[in-house]
Amino acid sequence: MSNELKQEGTSFGKRLASLHFWNALLVSLLVLTGLIMYSSYWREVLGEAKVGIKWLHIMIGLISFVPLFSYLRLLARHWKLLKGKYWQRVNVIVVPLILLGWFISGIFLWQFQAVGPEIVNASLLVHDLLTWIGLPLFIYHSISRQSRLRESKSPRFTPERAQPFYSRKAFIRTVIGAGLTISLGPSLIKWISNLGSRQEQAAYNFLPVPQPLPESAPPIGGGAIDSFRSYSVTRLPFFTSENWSFTIDGLVEKPVTWNWEQFVALKRSVQVSDFHCVTGWSVYKNTWEGLPLKELLERAQVKARARVVKFHSGDGVYTDSLTLSQADMDDVIVAVLHDGKPIPNDLGGPVRLIIPKMYAYKSVKWLNRIELIEEDHIGYWGELGYEHDAWITGKGT
Ligand SMILES: Nc1nc2c(c(=O)[nH]1)N[C@H]1C(S)=C(S)[C@@H](COP(=O)(O)O)O[C@H]1N2
Ligand SMILES: [Mo]
């Protein structure tokens, strides 16, 4: 919205300036909370408070509809006033479109269970795309307006008029600057300091390397569509074939602990399934090879008293559980290979749980212990308010 209009001092100009201020403030806060959610550094530091950040983002997002809606009602009049100002006219169309796109896709992402994976996937794409278009535009806009303002500090530009306007801008600029530094700074430093050791981290430290069955290579599902967004609430744990083991214990007749060599010698089978994260991304047609949970439980001989299967991650933090009847589903698999290749460390390798009919937060990475218990156990995300029974919309029972 134009400076010129505001300096005219008309009430219409004042309304536009005020809407512009509130919108800039809300968008700054959305960018701040959005980037914090995106950053793996903050994910680790915030711990459980990350759920609060998500709620804040949703709330601010909902509130941001107020200035957007108010502006849309003024748009026609503003448009007329901008006669001949080509770029400003482009602006007053493009900016509300970006905001509206963010808003609508945000609503779907928020209501992921109601709309199902396909709409959520599309919404995440739109939300991300608009962020990578909108964010640079937004930063460019706030910097260029700032310098335009400085240029216009002629003697006629009286301090009385400049002061409140400037302080609002300075405020927004501080929020943006602080937001970018806080949310991206640590990730950037971490990324730079990791540059040297990246190769090393990617190495697969397990010998013997598990050999894929004929159904896995080439993958019977034709190969996964799209890729995983590596997500971990902790720092990545590292294992090698020397220090890794897999245990089944608790209420079983035959508790067992395998080392890596013994574990890869067990008979595996292959299945194809889709993988859906609640944040909106999915990976379709994964060919997983591993040990059906059912068979592992039969082997350990579950005691009659047991009700629940608890899964422990080697990260020492993450857990989840299934009831015994859920654990009886044929497609629940303790996976060792994905599309014929060993599961890399950042995606939960060497061994992760796969429950195709439930959201991916039930898919415990670095799985190394299965414990049979009597009482129910609420897992990591269940404790943070997500549904304990994470059935995917349209796929559940
Ligand atoms: N141990 C552990 N398992 C985990 C998680 C985690 O943070 N730690 N994140 C869960 C979530 S929310 C998702 S979406 C998937 C992500 O799997 P990926 O990192 O292989 O993409 O793992 C699930 N299993
Ligand atoms: Mo997730």
Side-chain angles (χ1 to χ4, degrees):
M1 271 143 265
S2 77
N3 241 341
E4 296 87 305
L5 271 176
K6 211 212 141 255
Q7 284 168 20
E8 271 172 30
T10 66
S11 73
F12 184 66
K14 274 186 188 148
R15 271 175 81 190
L16 285 181
S18 155
L19 283 178
H20 183 264
F21 168 77
W22 285 109
N23 183 60
L25 180 62
L26 293 172
V27 170
S28 306
L29 293 171
L30 286 168
V31 165
L32 173 64
T33 48
L35 289 177
I36 284 176
M37 285 193 287
Y38 194 77
S39 142
S40 61
Y41 172 85
W42 281 106
R43 183 144 63 227
E44 207 182 301
V45 170
L46 284 170
E48 319 209 327
K50 58 183 169 281
V51 181
I53 296 285
K54 186 189 151 188
W55 276 106
L56 205 61
H57 188 80
I58 293 171
M59 286 307 144
I60 300 168
L62 290 173
I63 294 169
S64 74
F65 191 67
V66 176
L68 176 60
F69 183 71
S70 314
Y71 177 69
L72 291 177
R73 292 178 49 199
L74 304 180
L75 182 58
R77 195 167 154 204
H78 194 195
W79 181 263
K80 272 190 214 125
L81 281 172
L82 292 175
K83 199 172 175 195
K85 295 179 175 161
Y86 178 75
W87 280 112
Q88 293 202 33
R89 279 193 160 181
V90 171
N91 231 5
V92 303
I93 295 303
V94 168
V95 173
L97 273 179
I98 291 178
L99 295 173
L100 208 61
W102 260 333
F103 183 81
I104 294 167
S105 58
I107 296 276
F108 288 144
L109 285 166
W110 173 37
Q111 295 298 328
F112 68 91
Q113 266 166 320
V115 296
E118 271 87 15
I119 290 176
V120 176
N121 293 167
S123 302
L124 184 64
L125 191 77
V126 169
H127 216 70
D128 281 359
L129 206 70
L130 291 178
T131 301
W132 304 127
I133 297 168
L135 189 59
L137 272 181
F138 180 60
I139 293 168
Y140 171 78
H141 176 71
S142 56
I143 292 171
S144 69
R145 283 203 72 186
Q146 196 56 45
S147 52
R148 241 193 293 151
L149 201 73
R150 220 175 278 128
E151 277 163 26
S152 69
K153 265 189 185 164
S154 59
R156 270 184 297 153
F157 198 76
T158 61
E160 291 88 330
R161 284 177 90 186
Q163 206 49 51
F165 192 49
Y166 180 79
S167 61
R168 278 184 164 188
K169 295 207 74 56
F171 179 58
I172 297 279
R173 233 178 27 145
T174 310
V175 174
I176 296 170
L180 288 175
T181 314
I182 291 170
S183 48
L184 291 181
S187 309
L188 194 69
I189 291 167
K190 203 169 143 192
W191 182 74
I192 290 167
S193 66
N194 272 347
L195 274 181
S197 53
R198 279 180 93 77
Q199 218 57 27
E200 212 179 299
Q201 283 183 13
Y204 187 75
N205 293 316
F206 296 85
L207 289 171
V209 175
Q211 292 306 306
L213 292 166
E215 301 100 296
S216 264
I220 46 169
I225 298 167
D226 277 324
S227 47
F228 295 87
R229 295 195 180 188
S230 170
Y231 186 103
S232 175
V233 299
T234 62
R235 210 161 277 212
L236 303 186
F238 284 97
F239 296 97
T240 66
S241 23
E242 266 70 64
N243 65 16
W244 185 88
S245 66
F246 194 98
T247 298
I248 306 180
D249 62 1
L251 300 172
V252 290
E253 299 294 346
K254 291 185 175 171
V256 58
T257 295
W258 290 291
N259 67 21
W260 176 253
E261 196 176 348
Q262 295 163 329
F263 192 81
V264 281
L266 301 174
K267 189 179 142 289
R268 294 190 292 268
S269 52
V270 179
Q271 58 138 77
V272 180
S273 63
D274 300 336
F275 186 94
H276 303 287
C277 169
V278 290
T279 61
W281 56 271
S282 300
V283 184
Y284 294 87
K285 300 202 174 190
N286 302 285
T287 299
W288 298 106
E289 178 178 322
L291 302 122
L293 178 64
K294 218 172 159 172
E295 289 175 21
L296 282 176
L297 296 181
E298 272 161 24
R299 201 188 274 262
Q301 297 179 19
V302 175
K303 288 185 179 171
R305 230 170 68 227
R307 289 282 168 274
V308 169
V309 189
K310 177 174 176 185
F311 304 97
H312 297 259
S313 168
D315 64 15
V317 171
Y318 207 91
T319 59
D320 218 311
S321 77
L322 291 177
T323 63
L324 267 177
S325 65
Q326 291 168 349
D328 202 42
M329 292 185 290
D330 289 328
D331 55 359
V332 181
I333 190 169
V334 174
V336 185
L337 293 137
H338 176 256
D339 283 357
K341 294 193 201 73
I343 300 172
N345 179 68
D346 61 330
L347 303 185
V351 169
R352 78 178 302 168
L353 181 67
I354 295 297
I355 310 170
K357 293 191 180 67
M358 293 189 178
Y359 282 109
Y361 62 87
K362 301 290 275 192
S363 169
V364 175
K365 308 207 291 183
W366 309 289
L367 179 71
N368 64 3
R369 180 177 171 210
I370 295 176
E371 186 190 7
L372 276 293
I373 55 176
E374 221 175 324
E375 307 281 300
D376 201 5
H377 166 77
I378 307 293
Y380 184 90
W381 286 108
E383 282 291 344
L384 296 181
Y386 284 80
E387 268 179 49
H388 181 43
D389 292 329
W391 300 114
I392 293 159
T393 321
K395 289 199 179 184
T397 45

mmCIF file of all heavy atoms in Angstrom, residues 118-155:
data_model
loop_
_atom_site.group_PDB
_atom_site.id
_atom_site.type_symbol
_atom_site.label_atom_id
_atom_site.label_comp_id
_atom_site.label_asym_id
_atom_site.label_seq_id
_atom_site.Cartn_x
_atom_site.Cartn_y
_atom_site.Cartn_z
ATOM 1 N N GLU A 118 -4.671 -36.919 0.481
ATOM 2 C CA GLU A 118 -4.467 -36.300 -0.835
ATOM 3 C C GLU A 118 -4.579 -34.777 -0.780
ATOM 4 O O GLU A 118 -3.731 -34.053 -1.294
ATOM 5 C CB GLU A 118 -5.449 -36.854 -1.884
ATOM 6 C CG GLU A 118 -4.927 -38.094 -2.598
ATOM 7 C CD GLU A 118 -5.256 -39.382 -1.852
ATOM 8 O OE1 GLU A 118 -6.131 -39.336 -0.943
ATOM 9 O OE2 GLU A 118 -4.648 -40.431 -2.158
ATOM 10 N N ILE A 119 -5.638 -34.283 -0.137
ATOM 11 C CA ILE A 119 -5.829 -32.833 -0.037
ATOM 12 C C ILE A 119 -4.735 -32.214 0.825
ATOM 13 O O ILE A 119 -4.215 -31.141 0.527
ATOM 14 C CB ILE A 119 -7.236 -32.519 0.528
ATOM 15 C CG1 ILE A 119 -8.286 -32.892 -0.533
ATOM 16 C CG2 ILE A 119 -7.376 -31.040 0.888
ATOM 17 C CD1 ILE A 119 -9.715 -32.732 -0.076
ATOM 18 N N VAL A 120 -4.349 -32.929 1.866
ATOM 19 C CA VAL A 120 -3.295 -32.419 2.741
ATOM 20 C C VAL A 120 -1.960 -32.328 1.987
ATOM 21 O O VAL A 120 -1.226 -31.356 2.129
ATOM 22 C CB VAL A 120 -3.162 -33.294 4.009
ATOM 23 C CG1 VAL A 120 -2.009 -32.834 4.869
ATOM 24 C CG2 VAL A 120 -4.436 -33.213 4.835
ATOM 25 N N ASN A 121 -1.658 -33.352 1.173
ATOM 26 C CA ASN A 121 -0.433 -33.308 0.361
ATOM 27 C C ASN A 121 -0.406 -32.072 -0.517
ATOM 28 O O ASN A 121 0.598 -31.353 -0.584
ATOM 29 C CB ASN A 121 -0.320 -34.533 -0.570
ATOM 30 C CG ASN A 121 -0.105 -35.856 0.181
ATOM 31 O OD1 ASN A 121 -0.236 -36.917 -0.394
ATOM 32 N ND2 ASN A 121 0.209 -35.785 1.465
ATOM 33 N N ALA A 122 -1.534 -31.813 -1.199
ATOM 34 C CA ALA A 122 -1.613 -30.656 -2.094
ATOM 35 C C ALA A 122 -1.473 -29.360 -1.293
ATOM 36 O O ALA A 122 -0.801 -28.415 -1.726
ATOM 37 C CB ALA A 122 -2.930 -30.680 -2.867
ATOM 38 N N SER A 123 -2.078 -29.336 -0.105
ATOM 39 C CA SER A 123 -2.025 -28.135 0.726
ATOM 40 C C SER A 123 -0.604 -27.837 1.194
ATOM 41 O O SER A 123 -0.183 -26.689 1.223
ATOM 42 C CB SER A 123 -2.918 -28.296 1.958
ATOM 43 O OG SER A 123 -4.232 -28.547 1.542
ATOM 44 N N LEU A 124 0.117 -28.894 1.550
ATOM 45 C CA LEU A 124 1.493 -28.689 2.000
ATOM 46 C C LEU A 124 2.344 -28.144 0.856
ATOM 47 O O LEU A 124 3.165 -27.239 1.047
ATOM 48 C CB LEU A 124 2.096 -29.991 2.534
ATOM 49 C CG LEU A 124 3.513 -29.862 3.112
ATOM 50 C CD1 LEU A 124 3.521 -28.972 4.348
ATOM 51 C CD2 LEU A 124 4.097 -31.232 3.454
ATOM 52 N N LEU A 125 2.092 -28.682 -0.342
ATOM 53 C CA LEU A 125 2.819 -28.207 -1.517
ATOM 54 C C LEU A 125 2.569 -26.715 -1.715
ATOM 55 O O LEU A 125 3.495 -25.919 -1.892
ATOM 56 C CB LEU A 125 2.361 -29.007 -2.739
ATOM 57 C CG LEU A 125 3.198 -28.824 -3.995
ATOM 58 C CD1 LEU A 125 4.485 -29.633 -3.859
ATOM 59 C CD2 LEU A 125 2.421 -29.278 -5.229
ATOM 60 N N VAL A 126 1.290 -26.330 -1.652
ATOM 61 C CA VAL A 126 0.920 -24.924 -1.835
ATOM 62 C C VAL A 126 1.519 -24.060 -0.710
ATOM 63 O O VAL A 126 2.111 -23.009 -0.964
ATOM 64 C CB VAL A 126 -0.624 -24.774 -1.872
ATOM 65 C CG1 VAL A 126 -1.042 -23.310 -1.801
ATOM 66 C CG2 VAL A 126 -1.186 -25.423 -3.135
ATOM 67 N N HIS A 127 1.382 -24.522 0.517
ATOM 68 C CA HIS A 127 1.874 -23.758 1.681
ATOM 69 C C HIS A 127 3.387 -23.523 1.556
ATOM 70 O O HIS A 127 3.868 -22.411 1.759
ATOM 71 C CB HIS A 127 1.566 -24.540 2.963
ATOM 72 C CG HIS A 127 1.194 -23.691 4.137
ATOM 73 N ND1 HIS A 127 0.015 -22.997 4.226
ATOM 74 C CD2 HIS A 127 1.857 -23.412 5.299
ATOM 75 C CE1 HIS A 127 -0.037 -22.336 5.379
ATOM 76 N NE2 HIS A 127 1.080 -22.573 6.049
ATOM 77 N N ASP A 128 4.123 -24.577 1.208
ATOM 78 C CA ASP A 128 5.582 -24.480 1.054
ATOM 79 C C ASP A 128 5.958 -23.579 -0.120
ATOM 80 O O ASP A 128 6.813 -22.709 0.002
ATOM 81 C CB ASP A 128 6.191 -25.869 0.824
ATOM 82 C CG ASP A 128 6.329 -26.652 2.131
ATOM 83 O OD1 ASP A 128 5.972 -26.099 3.190
ATOM 84 O OD2 ASP A 128 6.782 -27.812 2.076
ATOM 85 N N LEU A 129 5.296 -23.818 -1.242
ATOM 86 C CA LEU A 129 5.601 -23.061 -2.453
ATOM 87 C C LEU A 129 5.382 -21.569 -2.218
ATOM 88 O O LEU A 129 6.225 -20.732 -2.542
ATOM 89 C CB LEU A 129 4.691 -23.563 -3.576
ATOM 90 C CG LEU A 129 5.207 -23.381 -4.990
ATOM 91 C CD1 LEU A 129 6.392 -24.320 -5.222
ATOM 92 C CD2 LEU A 129 4.112 -23.687 -6.005
ATOM 93 N N LEU A 130 4.242 -21.240 -1.616
ATOM 94 C CA LEU A 130 3.939 -19.835 -1.341
ATOM 95 C C LEU A 130 4.945 -19.246 -0.352
ATOM 96 O O LEU A 130 5.259 -18.058 -0.414
ATOM 97 C CB LEU A 130 2.516 -19.687 -0.797
ATOM 98 C CG LEU A 130 1.414 -19.966 -1.812
ATOM 99 C CD1 LEU A 130 0.035 -19.839 -1.162
ATOM 100 C CD2 LEU A 130 1.515 -19.025 -3.019
ATOM 101 N N THR A 131 5.462 -20.094 0.545
ATOM 102 C CA THR A 131 6.454 -19.601 1.493
ATOM 103 C C THR A 131 7.746 -19.234 0.767
ATOM 104 O O THR A 131 8.326 -18.181 1.020
ATOM 105 C CB THR A 131 6.733 -20.651 2.594
ATOM 106 O OG1 THR A 131 5.493 -20.921 3.259
ATOM 107 C CG2 THR A 131 7.753 -20.138 3.595
ATOM 108 N N TRP A 132 8.157 -20.097 -0.166
ATOM 109 C CA TRP A 132 9.416 -19.804 -0.869
ATOM 110 C C TRP A 132 9.247 -18.689 -1.899
ATOM 111 O O TRP A 132 10.224 -18.097 -2.330
ATOM 112 C CB TRP A 132 10.043 -21.072 -1.450
ATOM 113 C CG TRP A 132 10.264 -22.092 -0.370
ATOM 114 C CD1 TRP A 132 9.842 -23.395 -0.375
ATOM 115 C CD2 TRP A 132 10.895 -21.881 0.918
ATOM 116 N NE1 TRP A 132 10.171 -23.993 0.826
ATOM 117 C CE2 TRP A 132 10.815 -23.099 1.640
ATOM 118 C CE3 TRP A 132 11.507 -20.792 1.549
ATOM 119 C CZ2 TRP A 132 11.332 -23.252 2.928
ATOM 120 C CZ3 TRP A 132 12.016 -20.952 2.837
ATOM 121 C CH2 TRP A 132 11.932 -22.163 3.505
ATOM 122 N N ILE A 133 8.024 -18.380 -2.284
ATOM 123 C CA ILE A 133 7.783 -17.199 -3.117
ATOM 124 C C ILE A 133 7.543 -15.990 -2.216
ATOM 125 O O ILE A 133 8.128 -14.926 -2.398
ATOM 126 C CB ILE A 133 6.538 -17.400 -4.030
ATOM 127 C CG1 ILE A 133 6.757 -18.547 -5.012
ATOM 128 C CG2 ILE A 133 6.213 -16.109 -4.782
ATOM 129 C CD1 ILE A 133 5.471 -18.983 -5.721
ATOM 130 N N GLY A 134 6.691 -16.171 -1.228
ATOM 131 C CA GLY A 134 6.235 -15.066 -0.386
ATOM 132 C C GLY A 134 7.307 -14.512 0.528
ATOM 133 O O GLY A 134 7.385 -13.295 0.715
ATOM 134 N N LEU A 135 8.128 -15.400 1.073
ATOM 135 C CA LEU A 135 9.131 -14.959 2.043
ATOM 136 C C LEU A 135 10.147 -13.986 1.437
ATOM 137 O O LEU A 135 10.355 -12.899 1.990
ATOM 138 C CB LEU A 135 9.808 -16.185 2.672
ATOM 139 C CG LEU A 135 10.730 -15.932 3.853
ATOM 140 C CD1 LEU A 135 9.985 -15.251 4.992
ATOM 141 C CD2 LEU A 135 11.334 -17.252 4.335
ATOM 142 N N PRO A 136 10.761 -14.324 0.276
ATOM 143 C CA PRO A 136 11.680 -13.359 -0.330
ATOM 144 C C PRO A 136 10.976 -12.044 -0.707
ATOM 145 O O PRO A 136 11.530 -10.960 -0.496
ATOM 146 C CB PRO A 136 12.186 -14.067 -1.585
ATOM 147 C CG PRO A 136 11.919 -15.506 -1.362
ATOM 148 C CD PRO A 136 10.726 -15.592 -0.466
ATOM 149 N N LEU A 137 9.750 -12.147 -1.223
ATOM 150 C CA LEU A 137 8.989 -10.945 -1.583
ATOM 151 C C LEU A 137 8.788 -10.055 -0.357
ATOM 152 O O LEU A 137 8.969 -8.832 -0.402
ATOM 153 C CB LEU A 137 7.600 -11.328 -2.098
ATOM 154 C CG LEU A 137 7.450 -11.615 -3.580
ATOM 155 C CD1 LEU A 137 5.978 -11.943 -3.882
ATOM 156 C CD2 LEU A 137 7.888 -10.412 -4.396
ATOM 157 N N PHE A 138 8.414 -10.682 0.702
ATOM 158 C CA PHE A 138 8.119 -10.016 1.960
ATOM 159 C C PHE A 138 9.368 -9.313 2.520
ATOM 160 O O PHE A 138 9.317 -8.145 2.907
ATOM 161 C CB PHE A 138 7.630 -11.115 2.916
ATOM 162 C CG PHE A 138 7.256 -10.663 4.283
ATOM 163 C CD1 PHE A 138 6.248 -9.737 4.479
ATOM 164 C CD2 PHE A 138 7.910 -11.201 5.389
ATOM 165 C CE1 PHE A 138 5.896 -9.346 5.756
ATOM 166 C CE2 PHE A 138 7.558 -10.823 6.667
ATOM 167 C CZ PHE A 138 6.550 -9.886 6.850
ATOM 168 N N ILE A 139 10.500 -10.023 2.487
ATOM 169 C CA ILE A 139 11.745 -9.434 2.986
ATOM 170 C C ILE A 139 12.180 -8.290 2.070
ATOM 171 O O ILE A 139 12.528 -7.202 2.533
ATOM 172 C CB ILE A 139 12.852 -10.511 3.085
ATOM 173 C CG1 ILE A 139 12.483 -11.527 4.169
ATOM 174 C CG2 ILE A 139 14.205 -9.888 3.386
ATOM 175 C CD1 ILE A 139 13.332 -12.775 4.168
ATOM 176 N N TYR A 140 12.103 -8.525 0.756
ATOM 177 C CA TYR A 140 12.482 -7.493 -0.200
ATOM 178 C C TYR A 140 11.624 -6.250 0.003
ATOM 179 O O TYR A 140 12.123 -5.126 0.052
ATOM 180 C CB TYR A 140 12.325 -8.020 -1.629
ATOM 181 C CG TYR A 140 12.495 -6.946 -2.674
ATOM 182 C CD1 TYR A 140 13.762 -6.497 -3.028
ATOM 183 C CD2 TYR A 140 11.380 -6.349 -3.278
ATOM 184 C CE1 TYR A 140 13.924 -5.489 -3.955
ATOM 185 C CE2 TYR A 140 11.533 -5.342 -4.201
ATOM 186 C CZ TYR A 140 12.799 -4.914 -4.539
ATOM 187 O OH TYR A 140 12.945 -3.904 -5.444
ATOM 188 N N HIS A 141 10.331 -6.464 0.143
ATOM 189 C CA HIS A 141 9.376 -5.375 0.314
ATOM 190 C C HIS A 141 9.689 -4.563 1.562
ATOM 191 O O HIS A 141 9.694 -3.325 1.523
ATOM 192 C CB HIS A 141 7.971 -5.982 0.406
ATOM 193 C CG HIS A 141 6.888 -5.001 0.682
ATOM 194 N ND1 HIS A 141 6.478 -4.087 -0.251
ATOM 195 C CD2 HIS A 141 6.145 -4.794 1.786
ATOM 196 C CE1 HIS A 141 5.507 -3.360 0.266
ATOM 197 N NE2 HIS A 141 5.285 -3.763 1.518
ATOM 198 N N SER A 142 9.977 -5.257 2.684
ATOM 199 C CA SER A 142 10.198 -4.486 3.908
ATOM 200 C C SER A 142 11.526 -3.730 3.858
ATOM 201 O O SER A 142 11.636 -2.647 4.412
ATOM 202 C CB SER A 142 10.123 -5.397 5.140
ATOM 203 O OG SER A 142 11.023 -6.452 5.020
ATOM 204 N N ILE A 143 12.514 -4.293 3.148
ATOM 205 C CA ILE A 143 13.796 -3.578 3.036
ATOM 206 C C ILE A 143 13.676 -2.401 2.081
ATOM 207 O O ILE A 143 14.124 -1.298 2.370
ATOM 208 C CB ILE A 143 14.918 -4.537 2.565
ATOM 209 C CG1 ILE A 143 15.205 -5.556 3.674
ATOM 210 C CG2 ILE A 143 16.183 -3.766 2.224
ATOM 211 C CD1 ILE A 143 16.117 -6.677 3.244
ATOM 212 N N SER A 144 13.009 -2.631 0.929
ATOM 213 C CA SER A 144 12.959 -1.563 -0.070
ATOM 214 C C SER A 144 12.083 -0.398 0.408
ATOM 215 O O SER A 144 12.363 0.755 0.124
ATOM 216 C CB SER A 144 12.493 -2.095 -1.424
ATOM 217 O OG SER A 144 11.144 -2.468 -1.340
ATOM 218 N N ARG A 145 11.041 -0.710 1.146
ATOM 219 C CA ARG A 145 10.206 0.367 1.674
ATOM 220 C C ARG A 145 10.989 1.195 2.682
ATOM 221 O O ARG A 145 10.855 2.398 2.758
ATOM 222 C CB ARG A 145 8.955 -0.196 2.354
ATOM 223 C CG ARG A 145 7.926 -0.637 1.363
ATOM 224 C CD ARG A 145 6.570 -0.657 1.986
ATOM 225 N NE ARG A 145 6.067 0.683 2.211
ATOM 226 C CZ ARG A 145 4.938 0.938 2.851
ATOM 227 N NH1 ARG A 145 4.240 -0.045 3.356
ATOM 228 N NH2 ARG A 145 4.521 2.171 3.003
ATOM 229 N N GLN A 146 11.809 0.488 3.445
ATOM 230 C CA GLN A 146 12.628 1.154 4.445
ATOM 231 C C GLN A 146 13.561 2.167 3.795
ATOM 232 O O GLN A 146 13.665 3.307 4.244
ATOM 233 C CB GLN A 146 13.446 0.089 5.199
ATOM 234 C CG GLN A 146 14.049 0.568 6.484
ATOM 235 C CD GLN A 146 12.995 1.121 7.420
ATOM 236 O OE1 GLN A 146 11.948 0.534 7.589
ATOM 237 N NE2 GLN A 146 13.266 2.267 8.003
ATOM 238 N N SER A 147 14.204 1.745 2.678
ATOM 239 C CA SER A 147 15.154 2.671 2.068
ATOM 240 C C SER A 147 14.433 3.793 1.339
ATOM 241 O O SER A 147 14.904 4.916 1.303
ATOM 242 C CB SER A 147 16.132 1.926 1.153
ATOM 243 O OG SER A 147 15.422 1.129 0.248
ATOM 244 N N ARG A 148 13.241 3.487 0.787
ATOM 245 C CA ARG A 148 12.455 4.548 0.150
ATOM 246 C C ARG A 148 12.103 5.622 1.169
ATOM 247 O O ARG A 148 12.135 6.807 0.906
ATOM 248 C CB ARG A 148 11.166 3.961 -0.430
ATOM 249 C CG ARG A 148 11.059 4.129 -1.932
ATOM 250 C CD ARG A 148 9.671 3.823 -2.412
ATOM 251 N NE ARG A 148 9.348 2.405 -2.249
ATOM 252 C CZ ARG A 148 8.112 1.951 -2.041
ATOM 253 N NH1 ARG A 148 7.100 2.793 -1.961
ATOM 254 N NH2 ARG A 148 7.881 0.664 -1.913
ATOM 255 N N LEU A 149 11.781 5.144 2.346
ATOM 256 C CA LEU A 149 11.410 6.050 3.419
ATOM 257 C C LEU A 149 12.585 6.948 3.798
ATOM 258 O O LEU A 149 12.432 8.138 4.025
ATOM 259 C CB LEU A 149 10.973 5.228 4.630
ATOM 260 C CG LEU A 149 10.104 5.977 5.615
ATOM 261 C CD1 LEU A 149 8.724 6.159 5.039
ATOM 262 C CD2 LEU A 149 10.011 5.187 6.922
ATOM 263 N N ARG A 150 13.772 6.333 3.832
ATOM 264 C CA ARG A 150 14.967 7.086 4.220
ATOM 265 C C ARG A 150 15.271 8.160 3.168
ATOM 266 O O ARG A 150 15.568 9.286 3.496
ATOM 267 C CB ARG A 150 16.158 6.137 4.376
ATOM 268 C CG ARG A 150 17.019 6.496 5.578
ATOM 269 C CD ARG A 150 18.123 5.473 5.797
ATOM 270 N NE ARG A 150 17.681 4.301 6.525
ATOM 271 C CZ ARG A 150 17.865 3.043 6.109
ATOM 272 N NH1 ARG A 150 18.453 2.798 4.968
ATOM 273 N NH2 ARG A 150 17.450 2.037 6.836
ATOM 274 N N GLU A 151 15.130 7.756 1.879
ATOM 275 C CA GLU A 151 15.375 8.717 0.796
ATOM 276 C C GLU A 151 14.440 9.910 0.907
ATOM 277 O O GLU A 151 14.811 11.036 0.613
ATOM 278 C CB GLU A 151 15.139 8.060 -0.562
ATOM 279 C CG GLU A 151 16.321 7.272 -1.074
ATOM 280 C CD GLU A 151 15.900 6.325 -2.188
ATOM 281 O OE1 GLU A 151 14.890 6.630 -2.866
ATOM 282 O OE2 GLU A 151 16.574 5.297 -2.354
ATOM 283 N N SER A 152 13.219 9.639 1.321
ATOM 284 C CA SER A 152 12.230 10.710 1.326
ATOM 285 C C SER A 152 12.351 11.607 2.554
ATOM 286 O O SER A 152 11.508 12.458 2.790
ATOM 287 C CB SER A 152 10.818 10.116 1.254
ATOM 288 O OG SER A 152 10.541 9.459 2.457
ATOM 289 N N LYS A 153 13.398 11.418 3.337
ATOM 290 C CA LYS A 153 13.571 12.257 4.521
ATOM 291 C C LYS A 153 14.105 13.630 4.122
ATOM 292 O O LYS A 153 15.221 14.029 4.464
ATOM 293 C CB LYS A 153 14.521 11.590 5.522
ATOM 294 C CG LYS A 153 13.754 10.804 6.578
ATOM 295 C CD LYS A 153 14.677 10.332 7.671
ATOM 296 C CE LYS A 153 13.913 9.453 8.648
ATOM 297 N NZ LYS A 153 14.789 8.670 9.510
ATOM 298 N N SER A 154 13.307 14.332 3.370
ATOM 299 C CA SER A 154 13.671 15.686 2.961
ATOM 300 C C SER A 154 13.303 16.602 4.127
ATOM 301 O O SER A 154 12.591 16.187 5.039
ATOM 302 C CB SER A 154 12.893 16.057 1.701
ATOM 303 O OG SER A 154 11.525 15.964 2.001
ATOM 304 N N PRO A 155 13.760 17.886 4.085
ATOM 305 C CA PRO A 155 13.421 18.808 5.161
ATOM 306 C C PRO A 155 11.910 18.920 5.367
ATOM 307 O O PRO A 155 11.452 19.141 6.483
ATOM 308 C CB PRO A 155 13.989 20.144 4.672
ATOM 309 C CG PRO A 155 15.041 19.776 3.684
ATOM 310 C CD PRO A 155 14.653 18.470 3.099
#
